[in-house]
Amino acid sequence: MEGDIFGEIGNTTQVDSRLLQVFQKSLLQAQDILNQNRLLINEINQNHESKMPDNLNINVGLIRELNSNIRRVVDLYADLSSSFTKSREASSEGDSSGTLKSDGKVNQKRIRSG
């Protein structure tokens, strides 16, 4: 499992298959949006280089769409990060290497190898 994103946690906990599905779906959505952004940027550059007033006006809408797409990608990554963190916390609650604090959060302890 070395080199795998989940290789580090695979030794101590089971990764929820639903988390993996959400992870994969979110990354695919983000990649689709980023691919769309690449096309938008190319079109914006072509319009800018043409220096035609109509094309420069079109860029206003294209740049707004690009900014909206960037916000969507940021939101996807934020949701993904939150889901992953919640999953790790939930899986750590039953782990003997962590102790549950009074606020409900897990206090992780590093396990030393012999």
Side-chain angles (χ1 to χ4, degrees):
M1 225 185 216
E2 188 171 318
D4 188 307
I5 271 181
F6 296 108
E8 180 181 322
I9 61 175
N11 295 335
T12 58
T13 61
Q14 288 293 329
V15 177
D16 183 28
S17 64
R18 182 168 168 4
L19 175 65
L20 288 174
Q21 290 171 352
V22 169
F23 192 77
Q24 183 177 20
K25 181 182 175 187
S26 294
L27 289 178
L28 288 173
Q29 286 176 333
Q31 187 60 52
D32 287 344
I33 295 168
L34 293 171
N35 289 338
Q36 183 181 6
N37 284 357
R38 184 180 323 111
L39 297 175
L40 284 170
I41 290 168
N42 287 339
E43 187 174 350
I44 290 167
N45 286 336
Q46 288 173 359
N47 289 344
H48 182 74
E49 289 171 1
S50 77
K51 303 216 189 288
M52 294 177 57
D54 288 343
N55 288 350
L56 296 176
N57 286 333
I58 290 171
N59 274 0
V60 173
L62 294 176
I63 291 169
R64 285 186 180 134
E65 184 178 350
L66 181 65
N67 286 336
S68 174
N69 286 352
I70 291 169
R71 279 190 291 276
R72 287 173 49 206
V73 169
V74 168
D75 289 343
L76 281 169
Y77 283 137
D79 291 346
L80 185 60
S81 176
S82 176
S83 294
F84 186 76
T85 300
K86 286 178 186 175
S87 173
R88 289 288 294 153
E89 287 174 353
S91 67
S92 295
E93 285 176 4
D95 186 359
S96 62
S97 66
T99 57
L100 196 59
K101 296 192 293 188
S102 61
D103 63 359
K105 294 189 178 179
V106 175
N107 184 19
Q108 290 292 328
K109 296 180 183 176
R110 190 170 82 84
I111 300 173
R112 294 184 184 173
S113 56

